[in-house]
Amino acid sequence: MVIGVDYYPEHWAKELWVPDADLMQKTGVKLVRMAEFAWSRLEPREGVYDFSWLDEITAVFKERGIHVILGTPTNAPPRWLVEKYPDAVPAGRDGKINPIGIRGHRCYNHPDFLRHAKEIIERMTKRYAQNEAVVAWQIDNELEANFCFCKKCTEKYRAWLKKKYGDLDTINRLYGNEVWSGEYSTWEQIDPPLGNYPAAWLNPAYMLDFNRFASDDMIEYVKMQTEIIRRNCPGAKITTNVWFCENMPDFYRTFAGLDFVSYDNYPPTKLPEDEKEFYSHAFHLDLMRGVKRQNFCVMEELSGGPGCWAPMVRTPYPGMLSGYSLQAFAHGADAVVHFRWRTAVSGAEMYWHGLIDHSNVPGRRFAEFEKLCLAAEELKALVGTRIVSKVAILYSSDNEYAFKIQPQTNGMYYYEQLKLFHEALTKYGVNIDIIGEDEELLGYRLVIAPQMYVTNPEVVRRLYTFVEDGGTVVFTNRSGVKDAYNNCIMEPLPAPYRKLVGCRVLEYDPVGYDNVTIRFLDGAEYRAKQWCDILKPEGEETRVLACYDSEFYKGSAAITENKYGDGTAYYIGTVGERELYIRLVGEILQKCGIDFVEGLPDHVEVTTRSKDGFFARFIFNNTTKAQEFVLDERQVSLQPFEMQVETVKAKQEESFI
């Protein structure tokens, strides 16, 4: 378990470098990330390079046994480059070049930008290929899908469509371009979504394909950098750091050619006043681990109160800084790198607080960081352990984009139902993988498949096979709605999954913010909102678990269970309150024979890492209050954001929970 920091030597006087490195060594820092924004210092003028300062600081860290991750500096091209090639800057939806002044001012497809980017990467990688201190490379920084609307990107978008479809007749047919006289007669008529029209006003098939192109284009940019690094640094570990941005790429394809996943983790510093409201970042951590189904790195971790794009927020509560880092370890991180060692004194991020504040006097948060480094050192026995899950939640980049393009009703978001299930599973202390919908399902007993909105025939086949062979799948409303081109399927919902779930949707009611009531057979009532699929059971072994108890469809089925082959498929036609999911998940886990914990208080998380019969169980209190509860017939007491770790040897790789 490794604790690191993000460090920006180019921002500080050289006189600070050695004292900083000495303090890092004393504190227990094992890793630093550098240089991801330093292009203007590495190449101050075109063709004039200065690596001496980076050589010097890397040597300082090497002398102290601190490893280095170097970032390729392509996120922030120097002023001389954009002055010479002003159209190397991305264009907005109005077609005009964006003004510069912040980072990320580069078009992935501009030939002159790419030429200079390749050159700086070539020089960096060759220079540090044999440097023992450099243990990994980070490509660019917080990459987003390419939403650039310049002429070069437009040309590449058309080429992408030509390669995918071959001819305009096919595009017109699959997009349904006869609507609103939208048929193309020349390739030049195809543009990216320019103008200020809301996404929902535009052809959804066209919009989904543009989003796919934007993701693919970013992935090609990552591959370009990867090839250079691999050629010059054989055996080097390569990653890129991602975050939950507006224009998210397909994470699974992004990391397919990289060695490990890196994620920037900024949990909230102010928790919701309603204790029932979900806020844990465990969902994000499990999603990142699920991308490659292997351990990952947190490349930026909360170190102080954020403040940059918005006004400053609350400073971290005592225990948050260390607790959130330990939570990341509990969910599969092997390294947590804190942003940043020092709080910047200049630039836009001067109020995005690091470990050492502007006072230059280490304070309360730094003291907590020191204790965290000691705690990480004590977790050495966990090196090589990983998360083994019997439960998976399916995530789809296409579904996420499609919901953004056409919001279904007030308050409904794609991530919400994934998070509701994740929170309910967390309540029972089970390990959870969040995996791409294209992944194989071998090894899982329970698969949660929320809102399978855009239909992939191969995914449909895989889910049928999984259930037929004895697995359990949980479907929700808005499944089987669209074909692969984001057009509605002209069949009763849930269309391709209808036989599997043993029911069909007679009608749906997008209730939005209005509340409805559903009642289980035992009389228990729960509130629901947003969406109501009015279900008609069709299978001989379809059982109604709950019915609507309000609205004109009172008495109609809302939740069903169907036996199919050797397995079971559930269908949840509405969006319920959290207690509904906690009830359902508990019953389903029991039927699936998956071990779980009962009686965990809200926001207490239990996860298990294992290797060769060795298990470590993490128990984390993700609240600002002390919690006492009974676990394994013994009393457990946890202070705010406190983690306990228990280890045990076992004979077989099964959860001992």
Coordinates of all heavy atoms in Angstrom, one line a residue, residues 330 439 609:
A330 N -9.4 -0.1 0.6 CA -10.4 -1.1 0.9 C -11.1 -1.6 -0.3 O -11.5 -2.7 -0.4 CB -11.4 -0.6 2.0
E439 N -18.5 -7.3 -20.7 CA -17.6 -8.2 -20.0 C -18.2 -9.6 -19.9 O -19.5 -9.7 -19.8 CB -17.2 -7.6 -18.7 CG -16.4 -6.4 -18.7 CD -15.0 -6.5 -19.3 OE1 -14.3 -7.5 -18.9 OE2 -14.7 -5.7 -20.2
R609 N -10.4 -7.9 0.9 CA -9.4 -8.2 0.0 C -8.7 -9.5 0.3 O -8.6 -9.9 1.5 CB -8.3 -7.1 -0.1 CG -8.8 -5.8 -0.6 CD -7.8 -4.7 -0.6 NE -6.6 -5.0 -1.3 CZ -5.8 -4.1 -2.0 NH1 -6.2 -2.8 -1.9 NH2 -4.7 -4.4 -2.6

